[in-house]
C-alpha cells in the first residue's frame, strides 16, 4: 500500500506530512506517560521483525496480486497504540529513505494510511474493545482478522481519497476504490491470520506483554524478556535474510489496482510542485533501491532497530529531564 509520488499532489502531501508530524509528536508525549520498563528494546526488535515481515509478499489466489502485512495491529497489541505507531513510522521512514519503497513526497500519506489507520484506529476502536486476554485461539483469530481487515480497508480508502484530491492522475474514483477495497479485504484476512498466530504464541509464552488489557487470571510467563527479544530478533533475521527470497513477485494490492485501471502496475512520475526536489533527495538517500542487495532485509531491520532506539531514547531522555 506504499503510495508513490506519482499519485500525490504537493498540497495533499503537505497536509498529510503535517498530520503525520503532529501524530508523531503526540505519540512521544503519550509514550512518556506510560510506565513500561524495557519498552525501547521491545519496540526496536518488533520494528525489525515487522520490517522483515513486510518484505514477504504472499500471493492472493485467483487474482494475480500479492500482499504483505502492515503490522500495525500486531505492534499495538504488544506495545500499545502510540509506541506501535512510532515503531511503524520508523519502518516506513527506513523503507522510503534507504530502499525507495514509497515516495518521499508521499511519506506523510503512507504514515497516515498504514500507521494511523491500523495503530490508532483499528486497534483501539476495534481490536481492544472486542478482546480481553487471556482469550481463546478462535477469538484471537476472528478479532485479529476483523481488526486487520478494517485497518487495511481504511488505508485503502485513504489512498483512494488522497489520489482523488490530488488530481494528478486520471484514475476514476469509484473504480479505483472498488479494486482497492476488494483486494485489501483479502490481504487483510491474510494479515489477520498472521497476526493471530503471533498473538496466540505470545499469550502462551509471554502473556505479560498483553497484561495491560488482560484479566488477573493470566498465566505466568514461560519465556523471559531477554529470551523473547532474542527469539524475535532471530525471526527477523530469518524472514529478512532467507524467507524473503521466496516472496511472491506478483504486484501488490495498490499496484494491482492501478494495473486493473491502466494496464500498468505503476504510473509515470508527475513532475510538478516539489515532486522533483523530493525525488532528488530520495535518489541520494536510497542507497539500496528496490531492496537490490541480498542483505536488504537484514540491513533494513537493523536500520529500523537503530532508528526506533534513537526515537525512543529521545522520548525517554526528555521524560527524565522534566522530572
Amino acid at each position: 500500500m506504499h503510495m508513490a509520488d506519482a499519485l500525490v499532489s504537493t498540497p495533499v502531501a503537505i497536509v498529510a506530512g503535517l498530520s503525520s508530524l503532529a501524530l508523531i509528536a503526540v505519540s512521544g508525549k503519550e509514550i512518556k506517560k506510560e510506565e513500561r520498563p524495557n519498552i525501547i528494546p521491545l519496540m526496536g526488535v518488533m520494528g525489525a521483525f515487522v520490517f522483515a515481515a513486510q518484505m514477504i509478499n504472499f500471493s492472493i489466489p485467483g487474482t494475480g496480486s500479492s500482499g504483505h502485512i502492515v503490522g500495525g495491529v500486531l505492534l499495538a497489541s504488544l506495545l500499545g497504540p502510540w509506541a506501535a505507531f512510532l515503531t511503524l513510522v520508523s519502518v516506513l521512514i527506513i523503507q522510503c529513505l534507504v530502499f525507495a519503497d514509497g515516495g518521499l513526497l508521499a511519506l506523510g500519506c503512507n504514515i497516515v494510511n498504514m500507521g494511523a489507520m491500523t495503530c490508532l484506529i483499528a486497534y483501539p476502536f476495534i481490536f481492544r474493545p472486542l478482546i480481553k486476554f487471556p482469550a481463546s485461539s478462535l477469538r484471537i483469530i476472528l478479532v485479529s482478522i476483523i481488526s486487520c481487515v478494517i485497518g487495511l480497508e481504511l488505508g485503502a480508502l485513504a489512498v483512494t481519497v488522497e489520489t482523488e484530491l490530488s488530481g494528478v492522475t486520471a484514475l476514476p474514483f469509484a473504480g479505483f476504490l472498488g479494486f482497492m477495497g476488494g483486494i485489501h479485504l483479502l490481504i487483510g484476512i491474510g494479515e489477520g491470520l498472521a497476526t493471530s498466530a503471533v498473538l496466540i504464541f505470545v499469550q502462551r509464552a509471554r502473556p505479560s506483554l498483553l497484561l495491560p488489557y488482560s484479566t488477573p487470571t493470566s498465566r505466568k510467563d514461560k519465556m523471559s524478556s531477554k529470551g523473547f527479544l532474542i527469539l524475535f530478533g532471530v525471526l527477523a533475521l530469518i524472514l529478512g535474510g532467507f524467507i524473503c527470497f521466496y516472496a511472491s513477485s506478483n504486484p501488490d494490492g495498490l499496484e494491482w489496482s492501478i494495473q486493473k485501471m491502466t494496464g500498468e502496475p505503476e504510473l509515470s512520475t508527475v513532475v510538478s510542485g516539489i515532486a522533483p526536489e523530493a525525488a532528488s533527495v530520495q535518489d541520494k538517500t536510497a542507497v539500496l533501491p528496490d531492496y537490490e542487495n541480498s542483505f536488504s532485509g537484514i540491513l533494513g531491520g537493523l536500520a529500523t532497530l537503530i532508528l526506533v532506539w534513537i526515537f525512543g531514547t529521545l522520548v525517554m531522555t526528555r521524560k527524565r529531564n522534566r522530572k
Side-chain angles (χ1 to χ4, degrees):
M1 200 187 294
H2 294 76
M3 293 183 74
D5 288 348
L7 295 173
V8 184
S9 67
T10 298
V12 169
I14 291 174
V15 171
L18 292 176
S19 300
S20 299
L21 289 174
L23 290 173
I24 291 170
V26 172
S27 69
K29 292 181 179 180
E30 292 298 323
I31 292 171
K32 284 187 287 188
K33 296 178 183 178
E34 300 177 3
E35 298 294 335
R36 294 194 65 184
N38 301 321
I39 186 66
I40 297 177
L42 184 60
M43 288 170 61
V45 170
M46 292 309 300
F49 175 79
V50 167
F51 179 95
Q54 283 196 14
M55 293 186 66
I56 303 173
N57 281 45
F58 51 87
S59 296
I60 309 298
T63 66
S65 178
S66 68
H68 62 73
I69 74 165
V70 171
V73 173
L74 171 61
L75 289 173
S77 301
L78 304 179
L79 305 172
W82 295 106
F85 176 73
L86 193 59
T87 302
L88 195 49
V89 166
S90 300
V91 172
L92 294 170
I93 289 175
I94 295 299
Q95 289 172 335
C96 175
L97 293 182
V98 180
F99 301 97
D101 189 2
L104 179 57
L105 186 66
L107 179 58
C109 293
N110 288 326
I111 289 174
V112 170
N113 302 344
M114 289 188 277
M117 294 302 177
T118 57
C119 299
L120 306 182
I121 295 181
Y123 173 76
F125 295 106
I126 306 299
F127 185 91
R128 188 171 171 179
L130 291 179
I131 199 166
K132 181 175 287 187
F133 294 102
S136 68
S137 295
L138 179 59
R139 188 172 188 86
I140 293 174
I141 292 170
L142 292 177
V143 173
S144 295
I145 290 175
I146 292 171
S147 304
C148 289
V149 165
I150 290 177
L152 264 64
E153 289 293 285
L154 289 173
L157 174 62
V159 169
T160 312
V161 171
E162 290 157 359
T163 301
E164 179 70 13
L165 292 176
S166 293
V168 295
T169 74
L171 296 174
F173 179 79
F176 191 31
L177 178 60
F179 284 120
M180 284 288 288
I183 198 63
H184 283 93
L185 168 63
L186 301 177
I187 295 172
I189 293 173
E191 174 164 4
L193 292 172
T195 296
S196 62
V198 175
L199 293 181
I200 290 170
F201 168 78
V202 173
Q203 180 174 252
R204 293 174 180 173
R206 191 163 174 77
S208 64
L209 287 178
L210 306 169
L211 279 179
Y213 319 116
S214 63
T215 66
T217 59
S218 296
R219 291 168 288 182
K220 294 183 178 179
D221 291 340
K222 298 178 182 178
M223 179 179 290
S224 67
S225 176
K226 183 178 180 180
F228 185 89
L229 293 176
I230 291 174
L231 173 62
F232 275 83
V234 171
L235 288 175
L237 289 174
I238 294 173
L239 292 174
F242 177 71
I243 297 180
C244 64
F245 295 113
Y246 298 93
S248 172
S249 59
N250 291 337
D252 67 17
L254 176 54
E255 294 170 339
W256 178 86
S257 299
I258 292 174
Q259 186 174 42
K260 286 293 182 181
M261 303 296 295
T262 67
E264 297 291 337
E266 295 181 1
L267 298 173
S268 58
T269 302
V270 176
V271 183
S272 62
I274 61 173
E277 289 77 10
S280 177
V281 172
Q282 192 175 36
D283 286 341
K284 293 180 175 65
T285 63
V287 294
L288 296 171
D290 298 321
Y291 307 96
E292 62 184 16
N293 190 286
S294 299
F295 298 100
S296 291
I298 296 174
L299 295 174
L302 180 60
T304 299
L305 189 152
I306 293 172
L307 184 57
V308 170
W309 204 289
I310 292 172
F311 279 157
T313 300
L314 288 174
V315 168
M316 295 306 175
T317 299
R318 290 183 62 187
K319 177 180 179 180
R320 287 193 296 268
N321 290 339
R322 292 186 177 184
K323 286 185 177 180

